C-alpha cells in the first residue's frame, strides 16, 4: 500500500519508491542497520543479473524491428491478405509473430503505433485491437513449465 501511494499519489519515481519501501521493510523486519544496504544490493543484483541480458537484447531487437518498419509492414501485409473486415485477426497474427523474439513490454511498445493507426482508420476503440494483441503476446510468453501444466490441466 505504501509503495503504491508513493508512486501514484506522491509521484515518486518507481525505482526510488522501491528503494524507500525496501529500506522500510528492512527496518521493520529487524535487519541490522549495517546489513540493510548489502541486503538490498544483493537482492536487486541477483534479480537483475539473471534477466538484464535478456531484457536488453530483447529491447535492442525490438528497436531494430520498429526502426526498420518491420512491425508496420507485417501488419499491413496481413491486413491486405485477410481484408479490412479481418483487421483484428491480422493485427493479432502480427502481434503473435512479433511477440516471439521480444518480451511482452517491448513488443507492446512496438505495436502501440499499429493499434492507434488502425483504430483511427477503422474509427473504433483502441481496445478492440489492443486487447487481442496484448492477449496473444502474453500467451507467447508463458513459460514452458506453466504451459505444460496448463495443457495437462485442461486436457485431463
Amino acid at each position: 500500500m505504501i509503495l503504491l501511494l508513493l508512486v501514484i499519489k506522491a509521484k515518486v519515481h518507481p525505482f526510488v519508491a522501491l528503494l524507500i519501501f525496501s529500506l522500510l521493510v528492512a527496518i521493520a523486519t529487524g535487519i541490522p542497520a549495517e546489513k540493510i544496504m548489502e541486503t538490498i544490493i544483493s537482492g536487486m543484483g541477483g534479480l537483475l543479473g539473471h534477466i538484464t541480458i535478456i531484457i536488453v537484447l530483447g529491447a535492442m531487437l525490438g528497436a531494430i524491428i520498429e526502426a526498420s518498419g518491420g512491425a508496420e509492414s507485417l501488419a499491413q501485409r496481413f491486413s491486405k491478405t485477410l481484408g479490412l473486415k479481418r483487421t483484428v485477426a491480422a493485427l493479432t497474427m502480427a502481434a503473435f509473430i512479433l511477440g516471439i523474439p521480444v518480451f511482452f513490454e517491448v513488443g507492446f511498445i512496438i505495436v502501440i503505433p499499429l493499434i492507434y493507426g488502425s483504430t483511427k482508420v477503422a474509427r473504433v476503440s483502441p481496445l478492440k485491437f489492443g486487447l487481442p494483441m496484448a492477449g496473444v503476446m502474453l500467451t507467447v510468453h508463458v513459460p514452458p513449465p506453466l504451459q505444460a501444466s496448463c495443457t495437462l490441466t485442461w486436457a485431463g
Side-chain angles (χ1 to χ4, degrees), residues 71-120:
E72 187 174 345
S73 174
L74 186 62
Q76 287 176 352
R77 175 84 179 231
F78 282 136
S79 293
K80 185 186 254 185
T81 304
L82 297 173
L84 291 175
K85 290 184 178 182
R86 295 185 190 91
T87 302
V88 174
L91 292 173
T92 304
M93 288 172 51
F96 180 83
I97 292 170
L98 288 170
I100 293 171
V102 297
F103 277 101
F104 169 77
E105 296 85 358
V106 175
F108 200 72
I109 289 169
I110 293 169
V111 299
I112 285 174
L114 297 175
I115 293 169
Y116 282 115
S118 300
T119 56
K120 283 181 184 176

Side-chain angles (χ1 to χ4, degrees), residues 18-109:
L18 190 59
L19 281 176
I20 292 168
F21 190 70
S22 297
L23 285 169
L24 293 175
V25 169
I27 293 167
T29 56
I31 295 176
E34 64 275 359
K35 292 194 176 195
I36 289 177
M37 286 311 294
E38 179 184 324
T39 304
I40 291 172
I41 290 169
S42 68
M44 285 184 157
L47 177 65
L48 292 176
H50 287 93
I51 63 171
T52 301
I53 294 173
I54 296 169
I55 289 175
V56 170
L57 290 174
M60 289 170 54
L61 180 60
I64 291 168
I65 291 170
E66 184 178 17
S68 70
E72 187 174 345
S73 174
L74 186 62
Q76 287 176 352
R77 175 84 179 231
F78 282 136
S79 293
K80 185 186 254 185
T81 304
L82 297 173
L84 291 175
K85 290 184 178 182
R86 295 185 190 91
T87 302
V88 174
L91 292 173
T92 304
M93 288 172 51
F96 180 83
I97 292 170
L98 288 170
I100 293 171
V102 297
F103 277 101
F104 169 77
E105 296 85 358
V106 175
F108 200 72
I109 289 169

Side-chain angles (χ1 to χ4, degrees), residues 138-139 141-154:
L138 283 170
T139 302
H141 284 284
V142 173
L146 186 57
Q147 285 178 343
S149 67
C150 290
T151 304
L152 293 174
T153 304
W154 286 101

Side-chain angles (χ1 to χ4, degrees), residues 108 115 126-136:
F108 200 72
I115 293 169
L127 293 176
K128 182 171 183 177
F129 297 145
L131 287 177
M133 292 177 83
V136 76

